[in-house]
Amino acid sequence: GESVGLHLPTLSVQEGDNSIINCAYSNSASDYFIWYKQESGKGPQFIIDIRSNMDKRQGQRVTVLLNKTVKHLSLQIAATQPGDSAVYFCAAGGTSYGKLTFGQGTILTVHP
Amino acid sequence: EPEVTQTPSHQVTQMGQEVILRCVPISNHLYFYWYRQILGQKVEFLVSFYNNEISEKSEIFDDQFSVERPDGSNFTLKIRSTKLEDSAMYFCADSGNTNTEAFFGQGTRLTVV
């Protein structure tokens, strides 16, 4: 079956630093990937997604990199702010009616 | 910005009781999902729903669970006889297409005592 895992459970950075959160997936049939941010007591909030035919996608202060060869993706947050502190999940999806498989989550803490 | 709305935000129920969790999806979205998140763990897929029927379900979604879209707008998750291990956050999500982002609601915290 498919699994999605994160390399590090916690990440602490200083305000203004760049953050990189990593994720590995196991199912080579996954064709899209999403990064979600979850703040305490709230539902996952969409950050950015990427399709399997791409290797990089940029948003506002965020970049997702996809390496299909090693089944790895990362989320880069530029100039991290205290408001970025949250749990970040990667999720992988295939063609199966939008079912997403989530990773374990990385806790990002940004110190002012 | 359109959003997925879930009620109640918190439900406490006794073991063995039935609960119904409710969701109002975004109006023009067609694909609906329920996920759950046990405290401190990852978000787990339960079921997907399209065209008034279940598209896929996980091994968690056993005979105790059911979903309905009774009035064309609300989307419900029913647990017939709750167990202690059903305590979790339950998230409703929807998307406009199968391969696009899923929008999540704020969740219902279910506590079974």
Side-chain angles (χ1 to χ4, degrees):
Chain A
E2 178 173 15
S3 67
V4 181
L6 293 167
H7 294 310
L8 296 174
T10 62
L11 177 64
S12 291
V13 300
Q14 291 296 125
E15 181 178 2
D17 287 351
N18 296 332
S19 303
I20 299 176
I21 302 171
N22 297 300
C23 179
Y25 63 96
S26 62
N27 188 349
S28 56
S30 298
D31 63 0
Y32 71 104
F33 306 87
I34 305 176
W35 281 100
Y36 284 94
K37 172 186 180 182
Q38 187 178 28
E39 296 175 270
S40 180
K42 297 185 178 180
Q45 178 186 1
F46 173 87
I47 301 173
I48 191 168
D49 63 358
I50 188 168
R51 308 251 176 233
S52 59
N53 61 351
M54 304 170 67
D55 53 20
K56 181 179 180 178
R57 190 161 186 225
Q58 287 185 293
Q60 188 176 19
R61 283 201 304 119
V62 294
T63 301
V64 55
L65 299 177
L66 174 64
N67 185 331
K68 294 182 290 294
T69 303
V70 296
K71 297 205 259 315
H72 179 273
L73 68 157
S74 65
L75 176 71
Q76 300 178 4
I77 306 174
T80 318
Q81 303 167 0
D84 294 327
S85 295
V87 180
Y88 288 80
F89 292 95
C90 62
T95 56
S96 183
Y97 295 97
K99 170 190 173 183
L100 295 174
T101 300
F102 279 76
Q104 200 69 31
T106 291
I107 301 171
L108 175 65
T109 303
V110 183
H111 301 284
Chain B
E1 183 178 324
E3 60 179 16
V4 176
T5 305
Q6 289 185 244
T7 56
S9 57
H10 191 189
Q11 171 105 37
V12 181
T13 189
Q14 288 197 323
M15 191 170 54
Q17 294 297 303
E18 174 184 284
V19 294
I20 298 176
L21 310 183
R22 293 183 167 80
C23 171
V24 179
I26 296 171
S27 63
N28 60 344
H29 283 185
L30 303 174
Y31 299 88
F32 312 110
Y33 317 95
W34 283 101
Y35 288 80
R36 81 170 186 190
Q37 185 179 31
I38 295 171
L39 184 64
Q41 298 186 23
K42 63 183 179 182
V43 178
E44 300 174 288
F45 171 79
L46 292 178
V47 65
S48 58
F49 189 86
Y50 170 71
N51 201 25
N52 289 323
E53 59 183 33
I54 290 173
S55 306
E56 185 173 358
K57 58 185 180 180
S58 71
E59 60 275 10
I60 302 168
F61 194 89
D62 61 22
D63 291 343
Q64 294 300 311
F65 291 86
S66 62
V67 289
E68 276 189 327
R69 199 166 182 228
D71 57 10
S73 59
N74 293 300
F75 179 50
T76 63
L77 174 70
K78 180 191 291 185
I79 309 175
R80 290 190 184 82
S81 178
T82 50
K83 304 186 288 289
L84 294 176
E85 53 266 37
D86 292 328
S87 296
M89 284 289 287
Y90 287 82
F91 294 106
C92 172
D94 69 16
S95 63
N97 297 294
T98 56
N99 246 10
T100 58
E101 63 188 270
F103 291 87
F104 282 77
Q106 298 284 52
T108 292
R109 180 178 299 282
L110 176 65
T111 303
V112 183
V113 296

